[in-house]
Amino acid sequence: MRKVTFPHMGTSVFIFSDLIRDLGNEPIVPLQPNKKILDLGVRYAPEFACLPFKVLLGSYLEAMERGAEVVVTSGGNGPCRAGHYGEVAQKILDSNGYKIEILVFDSVFRNPFQFIRKLNYLNKAKLSYWSIAQLIRFYWRKLQALDKLERCTHKVRPRALNKGITTKVFKQGIEWIQQSRNLGEIEEAEQQGLLALKNIPQDPDRMIIRIGIVGEIYVLLEPAVNHEIEEILGNLGAEVDRSIYLSGWAHDNTFGHKKDSLHYARPYLGTAIGGHAQEGIGHTIMYAQNGFDGVIQLAPFTCIPEIVVKTIAPRITKDYGIPILTFFLDEQTGRAGMQTRLEAFTDMLKRKKRQPLKVVGGEKYARVFGN
Amino acid sequence: MEKTKIGIPRAFFYYIYYPAWRTYFESLGCEVITSPPTTKEIIDLGVENALAEACVPVKIFFGHVQKIKDKVDYLFIPRVMSMNGKTSYCPKFLGLPDMIRSAIPNLSRLIDITIDLRKDPLTFHKAAVKVAKDLGHTAWEGLRAFHKAAHIHKDYMALLHKGVFPNNAIQGFFSENAGKTEFAYNDFIENKGSKQTPLRLAVLGYPYTVYDSFVNVNLLEKLKGMEVEVVTMEMMDPQILKKQRNKTVKRIFWTFSEMASRTAYHFFENSKDIDGIVHVTAFGCGPDFIVDKLMEIEAKNKHSRVPFMSLAVDEHTGEVGMMTRIEAFCEMVRRKKEAVI
Ligand code: SF4
Ligand code: SF4
């Protein structure tokens, strides 16, 4: 059987590996990014490559040690770099004498024929398109269930009496979802999971601050890369809301939906510049309007769109009075340093919440014409 | 009535579009003010206002804006999305007006018109009319100014293709006795009694790093002093570059990056025409990790006959270190060439 691997993205791993198996391949399940993977990536990737690229390259190399022959990954149309990831990774691996094929799936609408050709190539089990559609629907539902549970943990964790319990229950829920064999069972697993999370003993009187997390999709979705920031924050008494979920993201990209956030972002960043820059700005404003206490921006070091966002961030803070803390993550970022900065940030937000400061409106910037 | 003053920072698009932009505004009766060539002071101004994580060209741009913002009525920082209807630019370009507006306090007014040939085939005309109207002129005057500018742009590009460096060409266009001056060509340095083997190097990179002699610590001058003829990507015939379009599976998203990589592919294929390739890039440049790696792999794999070096610059690049690297590279290339002859 053909051995196929794919990028590791948070908790979604088992879903993709099941899908690949159902199509008649042997999945080589990617490991959670660890030191070894990072070292491999850093060794072969160019120095200025963005962190996601290094991690992905490293995990392909690691999977190859376990026999992977094909990588399935998603593409993109720029204008940011991610759209070129596949090709560059392929060339780097080729030139170092590795034999692996990187299969990049771009949006169906970009090139339908190519999409179908690649799909046929993966479809070793010779399933009909109808069954493939069914399969995708099934796993899609799993992804949604997963994201729902995760959202719920963000609410429960800061209020839980016992610190580690939320993560444990969440893992249990993931297992239930994994084991369900049809849509009905997924539904049930989801309900059970949500119930179990809600039944965790909580302290209703605890002072909770609310923090929104925005930024680049990969570092947002991969806890191993962002040092489980959501968990750290939860344990520090912050309820977090993440601006991007895999089920939401994949939807927006494959079917071309526009988010409301773009509307808010436009006065600050007039156009899409790649990555999730406009979404990040729009969500920051939406968080501010919905009474969140602060926003954290997560970005890979040298990430172009996020550098633009960070340059604009002070103006949002001025206009909306919302504090924004930025982390540029690279292979040297340590968990301890992050923890310290997060503690300071949450302390500041809590103090502010106890005695709200009056926010002075931002000065208006001269802007006459153009568009 | 006093003339309206329009500021065009000497950075980024300056090296390609300044003659056209200046012509446009001048035919609308405005006075165009540009910042002086980059200096230490300008970089420092930029470093103050730009993000530490940003690449040096962005910092330089910020510095140039700082330098002229109080001397002008309007700053011309258009949002250039696509000039050829196909490829775009680095995301930092696309967000440039927004970054400037957020990061630099007390800005004079911005003209941040969007130009996107992918969305609208008439985008140039519309932009020209809109800006003219906003400046209090008629649509007709805007169009006339645009046509003049387009004309100048064509002449300017022709000069660049012939081998004139942008700074010289711009000087030639706008100096006192314009039209009469001879353009200083980057002529092949004749082997006038010199004992050295003449070299021909392709110096690839974005115009704002290759032609900004402050940021690349006088790279072009130094090469000239070492009797090296320099070819830049602006000198390449677009038709020749087009032949390289199938070298990447997906078309490279960014206009300048695509030009650089196509030029490199062209010379890898025609290795007789060139002795070596130098890729000038900025530390932390986003698109360049892709472009540079593609070039490097290509140089290593099949075409090892063309020596390749990549030179990264930033605000701390020292004269000495740079010189050493260039000399070593030229030395190596020269020895190789002599061995073949
Ligand atoms: S969005 Fe950031 S991380 Fe993603 S490709 Fe672009 S620069 Fe890299
Ligand atoms: S292309 Fe590179 S050097 Fe130019 S602005 Fe973008 S990141 Fe900076």
Side-chain angles (χ1 to χ4, degrees):
Chain A
M1 251 199 290
R2 199 192 283 123
K3 296 180 175 168
V4 179
T5 189
F6 52 93
H8 187 283
M9 264 212 186
T11 42
S12 65
V13 179
F14 71 89
I15 293 184
F16 291 109
S17 78
D18 287 353
L19 176 60
I20 284 170
R21 177 173 303 118
D22 289 351
L23 287 171
N25 307 281
E26 182 184 340
I28 303 289
V29 184
L31 301 183
Q32 197 178 54
N34 53 23
K35 177 111 186 11
K36 179 182 170 193
I37 287 179
L38 211 53
D39 287 348
L40 277 172
V42 169
R43 170 132 46 99
Y44 288 101
E47 187 185 347
F48 299 129
C50 17
L51 186 64
F53 182 81
K54 292 181 182 167
V55 177
L56 292 180
L57 189 68
S59 52
Y60 300 161
L61 283 157
E62 193 280 330
M64 261 185 272
E65 290 176 8
R66 290 183 285 136
E69 299 156 320
V70 177
V71 177
V72 177
T73 174
S74 72
N77 292 327
C80 206
R81 303 184 261 183
H84 286 308
Y85 271 13
E87 194 173 345
V88 177
Q90 179 84 67
K91 288 206 165 145
I92 291 177
L93 294 174
D94 286 352
S95 74
N96 282 296
Y98 290 99
K99 284 219 162 30
I100 193 157
E101 188 177 352
I102 300 179
L103 217 52
V104 182
F105 277 89
D106 282 310
S107 164
V108 198
F109 302 114
R110 185 186 156 96
N111 190 340
F113 297 109
Q114 221 180 46
F115 189 88
I116 303 242
R117 212 176 40 236
K118 286 176 183 164
L119 196 61
N120 285 341
Y121 177 79
L122 267 190
N123 184 5
K124 281 301 228 189
K126 301 261 180 292
L127 301 178
S128 66
Y129 291 132
W130 172 249
S131 342
I132 294 182
Q134 290 297 316
L135 265 186
I136 289 180
R137 197 166 140 229
F138 172 69
Y139 286 116
W140 184 252
R141 185 67 190 81
K142 282 198 173 185
L143 214 55
Q144 284 177 328
L146 207 64
D147 282 348
K148 261 195 202 155
L149 285 198
E150 196 172 350
R151 259 176 210 267
C152 185
T153 62
H154 295 155
K155 284 211 171 356
V156 174
R157 192 175 286 118
R159 298 181 173 85
L161 288 173
N162 174 336
K163 266 195 177 169
I165 187 95
T166 318
T167 308
K168 257 188 225 144
V169 175
F170 179 43
K171 290 218 170 103
Q172 179 65 59
I174 296 178
E175 226 162 85
W176 288 336
I177 295 175
Q178 183 171 9
Q179 280 155 8
S180 28
R181 281 156 311 176
N182 54 43
L183 291 176
E185 283 184 22
I186 301 177
E187 182 73 40
E188 199 173 315
E190 181 185 293
Q191 293 308 330
Q192 290 300 326
L194 288 175
L195 202 66
L197 282 171
K198 283 183 186 138
N199 282 338
I200 291 175
Q202 300 177 26
D203 174 0
D205 302 327
R206 196 176 283 170
M207 188 179 104
I208 298 291
I209 48 173
R210 293 201 295 160
I211 294 181
I213 303 188
V214 301
E216 190 275 338
I217 178 160
Y218 186 78
V219 295
L220 225 52
L221 292 186
E222 183 51 73
V225 171
N226 64 36
H227 301 284
E228 281 126 12
I229 187 167
E230 288 157 357
E231 222 179 304
I232 300 183
L233 282 172
N235 291 335
L236 287 172
E239 178 185 325
V240 299
D241 187 88
R242 200 167 71 206
S243 59
I244 305 174
Y245 285 86
L246 198 55
S247 58
W249 171 73
H251 189 68
D252 279 344
N253 262 275
T254 337
F255 305 102
H257 276 241
K258 282 266 173 276
K259 289 183 193 160
D260 316 334
S261 61
L262 301 190
H263 164 73
Y264 290 103
R266 221 154 271 143
Y268 293 88
L269 181 57
T271 181
I273 60 166
H276 288 79
Q278 264 187 319
E279 286 90 335
I281 290 177
H283 274 113
T284 303
I285 295 171
M286 279 150 74
Y287 286 136
Q289 288 176 338
N290 286 298
F292 275 63
D293 300 290
V295 167
I296 289 177
Q297 181 200 5
L298 288 179
F301 188 62
T302 78
C303 174
I304 325 176
E306 297 299 329
I307 286 180
V308 176
V309 172
K310 192 178 172 199
T311 310
I312 296 171
R315 198 172 143 217
I316 305 176
T317 303
K318 217 174 188 181
D319 291 355
Y320 289 89
I322 190 154
I324 303 172
L325 175 68
T326 304
F327 284 100
F328 278 108
L329 303 167
D330 68 4
E331 56 267 25
Q332 266 118 35
T333 310
R335 190 185 173 111
M338 206 155 156
Q339 172 99 27
T340 323
R341 283 183 67 194
L342 287 175
E343 274 165 20
F345 188 61
T346 46
D347 281 350
M348 187 269 284
L349 294 184
K350 281 179 193 160
R351 237 176 305 140
K352 205 172 146 211
K353 187 157 193 156
R354 269 185 219 113
Q355 32 175 260
L357 298 169
K358 243 187 101 201
V359 180
V360 188
E363 83 187 67
K364 288 285 162 274
Y365 285 77
R367 177 170 206 199
V368 170
F369 58 82
N371 39 29
Chain B
M1 200 181 84
E2 225 186 286
K3 283 184 173 178
T4 314
K5 294 200 190 82
I6 308 279
I8 300 181
R10 190 188 291 258
F12 279 144
F13 286 114
Y14 169 89
Y15 298 94
I16 307 296
Y17 295 111
Y18 177 73
W21 290 352
R22 173 161 167 180
T23 308
Y24 171 80
F25 284 113
E26 281 183 349
S27 24
L28 288 179
C30 304
E31 183 186 343
V32 172
I33 292 181
T34 185
S35 44
T38 312
T39 55
K40 176 92 179 47
E41 183 210 347
I42 289 183
I43 293 202
D44 288 345
L45 279 174
V47 169
E48 241 170 65
N49 287 280
L51 215 58
E53 286 85 357
C55 54
V56 67
V58 165
K59 291 175 184 160
I60 289 179
F61 189 84
F62 275 51
H64 281 280
V65 170
Q66 281 283 17
K67 191 82 189 163
I68 51 169
K69 70 172 179 33
D70 298 329
K71 300 195 191 115
V72 300
D73 301 312
Y74 300 96
L75 276 167
F76 185 54
I77 306 179
R79 188 194 303 285
V80 179
M81 302 288 289
S82 176
M83 286 294 218
N84 56 12
K86 299 267 168 19
T87 49
S88 187
Y89 293 89
C90 165
K92 282 182 205 163
F93 278 61
L94 309 186
L96 206 55
D98 306 291
M99 286 205 280
I100 291 286
R101 194 177 288 118
S102 296
I104 298 189
N106 309 324
L107 213 54
S108 42
R109 293 180 276 192
L110 276 195
I111 305 180
D112 65 347
I113 190 93
T114 300
I115 299 174
D116 190 350
L117 198 58
R118 285 174 309 187
K119 292 220 176 98
D120 182 358
L122 288 178
T123 185
F124 296 135
H125 301 80
K126 283 188 188 155
V129 168
K130 174 116 180 43
V131 172
K133 277 190 171 165
D134 286 334
L135 285 172
H137 296 268
T138 61
W140 168 243
E141 284 170 320
L143 279 180
R144 214 176 40 192
F146 166 72
H147 280 294
K148 251 192 192 164
H151 199 72
I152 289 281
H153 184 66
K154 225 171 118 202
D155 291 350
Y156 178 66
M157 290 321 269
L159 272 181
L160 296 194
H161 290 324
K162 270 196 216 148
V164 182
F165 286 139
N167 293 329
N168 297 336
I170 290 172
Q171 231 167 39
F173 268 123
F174 298 109
S175 66
E176 307 270 286
N177 44 357
K180 278 177 236 132
T181 34
E182 278 290 300
F183 292 109
Y185 286 91
N186 157 43
D187 14 43
F188 190 68
I189 300 139
E190 293 290 341
N191 210 352
K192 312 176 200 97
S194 149
K195 282 169 242 88
Q196 305 222 61
T197 319
L199 288 187
R200 193 172 137 92
L201 293 186
V203 177
L204 307 183
Y206 305 130
Y208 47 86
T209 33
V210 172
Y211 302 121
D212 186 330
S213 53
F214 191 86
V215 69
N216 63 32
V217 270
N218 259 324
L219 175 65
L220 297 183
E221 278 300 305
K222 276 187 192 131
L223 286 173
K224 204 168 174 189
M226 288 148 112
E227 308 195 9
V228 174
E229 185 203 3
V230 170
V231 183
T232 60
M233 63 190 200
E234 282 74 25
M235 298 177 193
M236 302 298 295
D237 180 347
Q239 292 309 320
I240 289 181
L241 293 188
K242 222 172 172 179
K243 287 191 195 137
Q244 303 296 327
R245 64 174 175 276
N246 294 327
K247 288 288 155 61
T248 51
V249 180
K250 228 186 244 180
R251 192 164 174 175
I252 291 184
F253 306 141
W254 318 286
T255 310
F256 290 142
S257 314
E258 185 185 62
M259 254 172 101
S261 69
R262 283 184 179 181
T263 311
Y265 281 123
H266 167 78
F267 283 124
F268 284 131
E269 215 166 82
N270 301 281
S271 54
K272 285 193 305 307
D273 298 348
I274 206 82
D275 298 315
I277 297 180
V278 179
H279 184 212
V280 188
T281 163
F283 271 104
C285 169
D288 268 355
F289 107 71
I290 304 229
V291 177
D292 193 65
K293 194 73 198 174
L294 290 178
M295 286 186 197
E296 189 196 310
I297 289 177
E298 195 72 10
K300 251 198 250 158
N301 280 2
K302 302 158 223 164
H303 309 278
S304 48
R305 274 169 301 154
V306 186
F308 172 81
M309 169 172 77
S310 96
L311 265 183
V313 296
D314 68 1
E315 60 266 42
H316 312 295
T317 309
E319 184 115 28
V320 184
M322 187 82 167
M323 197 66 190
T324 326
R325 292 203 56 198
I326 305 170
E327 275 173 358
F329 184 73
C330 289
E331 182 87 349
M332 186 267 284
V333 174
R334 209 160 247 148
R335 240 179 303 135
K336 196 160 166 241
K337 189 167 183 181
E338 280 160 2
V340 174
I341 297 169

